[in-house]
Amino acid sequence: MVFDRSLVAVLSMLCAAIWIGHLTPPFQSPDEFDHIERAYLLSNGQLLLETPAGGASGGYVDSGLLEYMASFESLPRRSEAKISTEQINAAKKIDWSGEQIYETLPGTGYYFPLIYLPQAIALSIGEFLGHSVDVSYKLARLFCLGVGSLLLLAAFRVTTPSALVIALLFLPMALFQASAASIDFVSTSILLLIIALYIDIMKRPAQPRLPKLVGLSVLIFLLAGCRLHMAPLVLLPLTIGVRFRYAHAIFLFSVLCVAIVFWYGFALSVTKDTRVELGASTSEIIRYYVSNPLQFFDLLWITLSDGERSLYLLHSFLGVLGWLDVYFTSKTYSILYLTILVVLFLAIVQGRIDDKLVSFALFSSALGGFFIVFFSLLVTWTPHPASAILGVQGRYFLLPMLLLASLFDVQRTVDGHKKRYRMAENLFLILLFVFSVFSMTNALETRYFLAKGI
């Protein structure tokens, strides 16, 4: 049965993430230091960052947590750096101190704080029960993984995912982020739940119940509030309103637009980020490119036409682990890429969703997300005036690709001639999962440890 495949996929991801988390030292996902600090602030009831005069935005963090993080700060971006058993054991002995020290973490100031709720709850429980910082951190990892897995199960119970969706989740980059205490896996799971609820609503002949529509809108705001490139998902309640001539859906679309614009306008106004000298304020850069849109598209073309940058985007979409310093071999990337292409071919021959309005909404959201990724990094991370768009990573495109992958139809029951396609899909999904986990195991052991088995 198809649902069995979905269930096995979630359980496989869960097991793989636990295994990969065991192999990976703490805080080796990009910006994971800041994500945990932001979760700690939320656990203490602080929703927004502080911005002291003349300084970058941040907040007061327990010195025990800072000491624990310092044990692993020598690893990121230094491919030759290793960690020993002695270092790991010493870090495990660090306890919460109760002393607060100001830390800057401006990159998280644009994220709606409730996305950090799983980590915040886990850190609170660990500190309250008197556990070490190490146990509390690992609890945060488990809470993120558990919440994300439950959201995935809920999504796959509502609407069966295509094999292409599962294949994207089985890529090394997605599996690695699922093992971390960042917001990536929860964000990915929220998106798939949004897609599932939307397709389910659009399939039904009657107007959707208001509570379900409100729930969908809340999920869209929560996701767009931490992933700006998912803001085009506001199209979903709009198309629901168009199809069913449902005024409540149109109203929620309007509320979502205002809420998302307000949140990011507010976040930009209260967050001071000094990590990159842009040469102008973010608002000034936004106004410049809004007034000169062709300049943005010129920069987009320059960025994508650069062969080295394009190859990096592909590799970092498939999987560049750690702080973007754990690469696979060219052969590994080729196998991953070809496997995805085969699963894509099998999805194409089985057909896509036979609903033009749903296809329009999902495709437009994905396309809009693609452009917003580049635009947001242009105005927040690229010095102005720009010669190319900097800071773009392939992993940012997982959510738009999942939107596109959801365009392919999956029948809960299959007839004879489609059964062969389903069997082929299952075979390639198994091969992809095993190959991803095997490749990640070798790469992570080689990258982080002095000797295998530590």
Side-chain angles (χ1 to χ4, degrees):
M1 293 178 62
V2 178
F3 173 71
D4 289 340
R5 181 172 75 178
S6 304
L7 177 61
V8 170
V10 176
L11 293 176
S12 299
M13 282 197 72
L14 182 66
C15 293
I18 292 173
W19 169 244
I20 296 305
H22 171 72
L23 290 176
T24 309
F27 305 106
Q28 298 313 302
S29 172
D31 301 318
E32 193 175 355
F33 293 109
D34 288 351
H35 286 303
I36 285 294
E37 288 175 347
R38 183 70 191 275
Y40 175 79
L41 296 180
L42 181 62
S43 72
N44 284 349
Q46 183 177 337
L47 295 177
L48 303 174
L49 301 184
E50 303 175 21
T51 304
S57 299
Y60 286 89
V61 180
D62 188 281
S63 63
L65 177 57
L66 296 179
E67 182 185 356
Y68 179 74
M69 291 193 296
S71 303
F72 306 98
E73 286 177 349
S74 63
L75 295 174
R77 300 190 182 95
R78 293 177 57 201
S79 57
E80 76 286 354
K82 309 291 182 181
I83 192 166
S84 65
T85 303
E86 291 75 18
Q87 289 174 282
I88 294 174
N89 290 337
K92 288 180 179 179
K93 297 176 182 178
I94 298 172
D95 292 319
W96 298 96
S97 69
E99 177 188 0
Q100 307 289 311
I101 298 176
Y102 186 81
E103 275 288 299
T104 61
L105 48 147
T108 67
Y110 310 110
Y111 301 147
F112 192 71
L114 293 186
I115 195 68
Y116 290 102
L117 203 55
Q119 300 98 314
I121 293 173
L123 293 176
S124 294
I125 291 174
E127 187 174 10
F128 177 77
L129 294 178
H131 291 304
S132 66
V133 178
D134 179 73
V135 170
S136 303
Y137 165 78
K138 290 175 179 175
L139 197 60
R141 271 186 174 180
L142 285 176
F143 268 50
C144 285
L145 180 59
V147 170
S149 298
L150 289 174
L151 290 170
L152 272 187
L153 282 174
F156 294 167
R157 286 296 298 268
V158 174
T159 302
T160 305
S162 69
L164 187 56
V165 168
I166 297 174
L168 292 174
L169 295 176
F170 280 176
L171 287 174
M173 194 75 249
L175 291 175
F176 182 75
Q177 290 302 99
S179 72
S182 67
I183 61 176
D184 282 33
F185 184 50
V186 172
S187 300
T188 299
S189 301
I190 290 174
L191 173 67
L192 289 172
L193 182 56
I194 288 170
I195 295 170
L197 290 172
Y198 172 68
I199 292 175
D200 182 64
I201 288 172
M202 294 294 277
K203 279 182 178 180
R204 297 183 182 276
Q207 284 186 348
R209 293 182 177 180
L210 186 57
K212 180 180 284 190
L213 194 56
V214 171
L216 176 66
S217 300
V218 169
L219 288 173
I220 291 173
F221 175 76
L222 182 59
L223 180 61
C226 67
R227 292 289 183 254
L228 176 60
H229 61 301
M230 288 295 98
L233 290 173
V234 296
L235 286 172
L236 305 191
L238 176 62
T239 52
I240 291 172
V242 169
R243 164 154 296 174
F244 297 105
R245 299 186 180 182
Y246 194 26
H248 291 90
I250 304 295
F251 173 75
L252 287 171
F253 158 75
S254 303
V255 170
L256 274 175
C257 290
V258 172
I260 292 170
V261 170
F262 174 81
W263 165 249
Y264 279 104
F266 174 74
L268 281 170
S269 68
V270 300
T271 302
K272 186 174 181 181
D273 191 347
T274 59
R275 294 174 299 171
V276 178
E277 181 56 52
L278 296 177
S281 68
T282 297
S283 58
E284 289 172 338
I285 299 174
I286 291 174
R287 284 196 296 269
Y288 173 81
Y289 287 109
V290 169
S291 303
N292 302 276
L294 292 181
Q295 183 68 21
F296 164 68
F297 288 103
D298 285 342
L299 289 169
L300 180 61
W301 170 251
I302 290 170
T303 303
L304 292 177
S305 61
D306 184 313
E308 188 175 340
R309 283 195 177 99
S310 297
L311 186 62
Y312 170 74
L313 287 178
L314 176 61
H315 286 174
S316 57
F317 176 76
L318 298 172
V320 178
L321 311 184
W323 280 69
L324 308 178
D325 55 13
V326 185
Y327 284 83
F328 298 113
T329 64
S330 297
K331 184 178 180 181
T332 298
Y333 286 120
S334 297
I335 293 173
L336 292 170
Y337 179 61
L338 290 174
T339 305
I340 289 293
L341 287 181
V342 170
V343 177
L344 173 61
F345 170 77
L346 292 171
I348 290 173
V349 297
Q350 294 181 81
R352 61 179 179 82
I353 292 176
D354 189 21
D355 189 318
K356 293 182 178 179
L357 196 56
V358 170
S359 298
F360 165 78
L362 297 181
F363 180 81
S364 299
S365 297
L367 187 63
F370 173 84
F371 286 114
I372 291 174
V373 167
F374 286 95
F375 187 80
S376 60
L377 287 165
L378 176 61
V379 301
T380 62
W381 197 253
T382 305
H384 183 74
S387 57
I389 303 173
L390 305 181
V392 184
Q393 300 174 28
R395 67 187 177 97
Y396 298 155
F397 299 100
L398 176 61
L399 301 187
M401 292 302 293
L402 286 171
L403 281 165
L404 295 178
S406 299
L407 290 171
F408 296 101
D409 196 14
V410 176
Q411 301 295 330
R412 289 184 178 272
T413 57
V414 290
D415 51 28
H417 77 279
K418 286 190 176 181
K419 206 166 188 178
R420 292 190 297 272
Y421 292 132
R422 186 61 53 79
M423 291 176 64
E425 285 178 340
N426 291 340
L427 174 62
F428 277 96
L429 287 176
I430 293 170
L431 292 174
L432 175 60
F433 177 78
V434 173
F435 183 72
S436 292
V437 174
F438 177 78
S439 301
M440 293 172 73
T441 299
N442 286 339
L444 291 170
E445 285 185 335
T446 301
R447 164 64 180 87
Y448 288 113
F449 298 103
L450 296 173
K452 289 186 179 183
I454 292 180

